[in-house]
Amino acid sequence: MARVIVDVMLKPEILDPQGQAIARALPRLGFSGVSDVRQGKRFEVEVDGPADDAAIAEVRKMAETLLANTVIEDFVVRVEG
Amino acid sequence: MRVGVVTFPGTLDDQDAARALRLAGAEAVPLWHADHDLKGVDAVFLPGGFSYGDYLRCGAISRFAPLMTELVPAAQAGLPMLGTCNGFQILCEAHLLPGALVRNAGLHYVCRDQRIRVDNASTAWTTDFAEGQEITLPVKHGEGRYVADAETLAELEASGRVVFRYAGSNPNGSLNDIAGITNEAGNVVGLMPHPEHAVEELTGAPGVDGRGFFSSIVRKLVNA
């Protein structure tokens, strides 16, 4: 068993109104010095075997196919450990 | 004329879609997401709603429904297809149309009557409109902001594939005020507004401007 993490973020050029709303809320809560916030998604994929190159390649394929829409989103695949 | 109306788990507007098609003189044929059977329909309507609860991304799960493995090649082969709202999102996720629909710029879910300009009156679903004609249709969505990369956008504009544009104010911040687009062949059309909710005076809709979509497809199928 191993855990592979997929982080999905809107591409930098795509406006993220959710992130903006969070960024605007922070100063009201007393958090200063924040210039920008962008919101994304984190997927924790539990694979049956070890997180070897083949498993990571398979998760990358999952990310391209379903987890991310590569028209608007970038993703990063990494092994947690 | 048999026009399929697709129902996914969470689809809401399939009954209105079927009714709008019947009013235009077509036979509305229910198509179920889990089937592989297109039932020999002449065209397909992907209605709006919240298929699969909008989980992951709007339309992301529906795109892989068994029926879609039949619909995608059929659309690529020229079967007329209309997607409204969630149907538009599904068409984009399935890459039958370019770009994507993301959260409204103002964050609010917008539900209102919206003026729309018809910029392309030559698609399978818009021939009964005139180019430049303004119509009013209901919009109701939280994720309707059309985005595409600069190259795609330029290509859509240059080839006249922007079919509908918001007139007056833009409800969601879509690029170039885009409300709806078509594919290269003009058989697949997707838009965020709801023509199927604007076909009868009785229902309190802003008018009956939606009828043109269905009369267009019926005319095309009759002449085919």
Side-chain angles (χ1 to χ4, degrees):
Chain A
M1 288 275 285
R3 175 174 290 179
V4 182
I5 306 297
V6 182
D7 289 315
V8 177
M9 293 298 297
L10 276 177
K11 290 184 176 185
E13 65 269 26
I14 307 276
L15 174 75
D16 174 19
Q18 293 185 103
Q20 285 182 338
I22 295 162
R24 281 196 300 270
L26 289 173
R28 288 204 303 271
L29 301 172
F31 297 102
S32 58
V34 175
S35 57
D36 193 23
V37 176
R38 290 184 70 80
Q39 179 179 322
K41 295 176 194 152
R42 169 189 159 112
F43 299 88
E44 299 179 345
V45 182
E46 307 287 343
V47 296
D48 290 336
D52 53 14
D53 286 354
I56 291 169
E58 191 70 3
V59 172
R60 181 162 288 125
K61 216 161 121 190
M62 289 175 208
E64 281 169 2
T65 310
L66 179 64
L67 304 184
N69 178 353
T70 54
V71 173
I72 47 168
E73 293 168 326
D74 295 323
F75 67 87
V76 177
V77 177
R78 61 192 161 88
V79 180
E80 191 171 71
Chain B
M1 298 143 288
R2 292 161 51 80
V3 181
V5 177
V6 183
T7 302
F8 295 93
T11 295
L12 298 177
D13 302 333
D14 44 350
Q15 297 307 312
D16 277 23
R19 184 170 174 79
L21 286 162
R22 284 195 300 268
L23 284 171
E27 180 189 350
V29 180
L31 297 178
W32 182 237
H33 71 105
D35 289 344
H36 278 279
D37 187 3
L38 292 184
K39 299 183 181 168
V41 294
D42 306 304
V44 171
F45 190 162
L46 287 168
F50 296 88
S51 61
Y52 295 92
D54 280 349
Y55 289 176
L56 187 59
R57 296 177 305 277
C58 305
I61 312 282
S62 312
R63 175 205 167 182
F64 295 104
L67 189 74
M68 290 302 288
T69 62
E70 311 300 323
L71 277 181
V72 170
Q76 285 162 343
L79 187 72
M81 209 167 283
L82 178 70
T84 60
C85 200
N86 191 218
F88 185 17
Q89 293 163 339
I90 294 167
L91 290 173
C92 287
E93 281 282 344
H95 304 306
L96 286 171
L97 293 173
L101 294 144
V102 294
R103 202 166 286 261
N104 293 352
L107 284 177
H108 291 280
Y109 187 98
V110 177
C111 184
R112 71 182 192 204
D113 297 339
Q114 173 70 44
R115 276 197 303 132
I116 293 135
R117 191 174 75 241
V118 181
D119 272 5
N120 179 340
S122 61
T123 77
W125 301 89
T126 55
T127 50
D128 276 4
F129 296 109
E131 212 161 291
Q133 184 181 346
E134 283 198 6
I135 59 176
T136 302
L137 298 176
V139 292
K140 43 163 193 163
H141 58 253
E143 281 153 310
R145 175 165 52 103
Y146 182 79
V147 295
D149 59 55
E151 197 183 324
T152 304
L153 207 58
E155 204 273 325
L156 287 174
E157 292 287 359
S159 55
R161 286 167 57 192
V162 175
V163 184
F164 303 103
R165 241 181 268 268
Y166 299 114
S169 66
N170 180 332
N172 52 43
S174 65
L175 294 176
N176 295 14
D177 295 330
I178 289 174
I181 57 171
T182 186
N183 64 343
E184 266 182 77
N187 63 308
V188 179
V189 172
L191 76 162
M192 288 312 297
H194 289 268
E196 76 283 8
H197 293 333
V199 293
E200 285 181 294
E201 304 281 4
L202 186 65
T203 51
V208 294
D209 288 346
R211 285 182 185 170
F213 288 75
F214 309 104
S215 57
S216 294
I217 193 64
V218 165
R219 185 188 308 277
K220 181 184 169 63
L221 295 177
V222 166
N223 293 335

